[in-house]
Amino acid sequence: MTADARAAAVRIRTADADDLDAIMALERASFGPSAWEAETMRHEIASEWGRYLAAVDAEGRLVGYAGLRAVGVEGDVQTIAVADDARGRGIGRALLAELLAEAQRRGVQELFLEVRADNPVARGLYESVGFREIGVRPRYYQPEDVDAVVMKREAR
């Protein structure tokens, strides 16, 4: 089965408060000590300024999520995570594509994100859709002391 066919078996939908526990389990598994707090994620999911997505497999298991915050003509990719056992199937790319489409619908002209300097796979994904490095935030991810690479994408 091709990666596109495997990604097609996953349904992407808007996340809601009922997804919080599954999102937080994946958040903690993906980001460890630098994971967001549940209350922060709850506010993000409910915010009028954003849209959070849930990627759900055929068995109903949340295998990925992503979030966008857009205010005016600026936006931020807040987060993208895919379960370890679901990686390499195009789910992260599909989530990102939907975030980009949502940003366009909301009139975002400049889209930003931070990505761990030690995550070349994510950086490559972002670069493949037009994000470019514009700076570094030293020791941004705590407590691990990992730098964040700041990236920007202009509307197309």
Side-chain angles (χ1 to χ4, degrees):
M1 184 182 294
T2 67
D4 288 342
R6 290 190 308 259
V10 172
R11 184 172 62 96
I12 296 176
R13 59 169 173 75
T14 299
D16 61 31
D18 291 340
D19 296 309
L20 183 62
D21 289 343
I23 287 173
M24 288 310 302
L26 184 50
E27 172 80 5
R28 291 181 191 107
S30 298
F31 302 114
S34 59
W36 288 9
E37 296 293 326
E39 196 58 27
T40 301
M41 188 68 75
R42 179 187 323 282
H43 287 294
E44 285 294 314
I45 291 169
S47 173
E48 67 183 285
W49 305 110
R51 180 166 180 224
Y52 272 68
L53 305 171
V56 181
D57 69 12
E59 289 78 40
R61 181 176 72 110
L62 185 127
V63 294
Y65 67 91
L68 171 76
R69 176 171 283 259
V71 180
V73 297
E74 288 188 3
D76 287 287
V77 173
Q78 297 287 80
T79 188
I80 296 179
V82 175
D84 280 345
D85 65 346
R87 291 185 182 156
R89 295 173 37 195
I91 296 168
R93 183 172 296 280
L95 286 164
L96 180 57
E98 181 54 32
L99 291 184
L100 295 175
E102 182 69 17
Q104 184 176 11
R105 285 189 290 273
R106 291 178 180 233
V108 170
Q109 297 298 307
E110 296 178 319
L111 192 57
F112 298 88
L113 60 81
E114 291 95 15
V115 60
R116 290 176 64 106
D118 62 357
N119 189 342
V121 173
R123 288 173 68 179
L125 170 62
Y126 299 136
E127 288 170 355
S128 77
V129 297
F131 280 92
R132 297 293 168 247
E133 181 178 334
I134 61 169
V136 174
R137 294 181 189 202
R139 304 177 64 202
Y140 182 81
Y141 294 100
Q142 292 297 320
E144 304 99 323
D145 282 338
V146 175
D147 294 348
V149 175
V150 181
M151 302 182 86
K152 177 181 176 184
R153 181 182 191 264
E154 307 263 341
R156 294 181 173 182

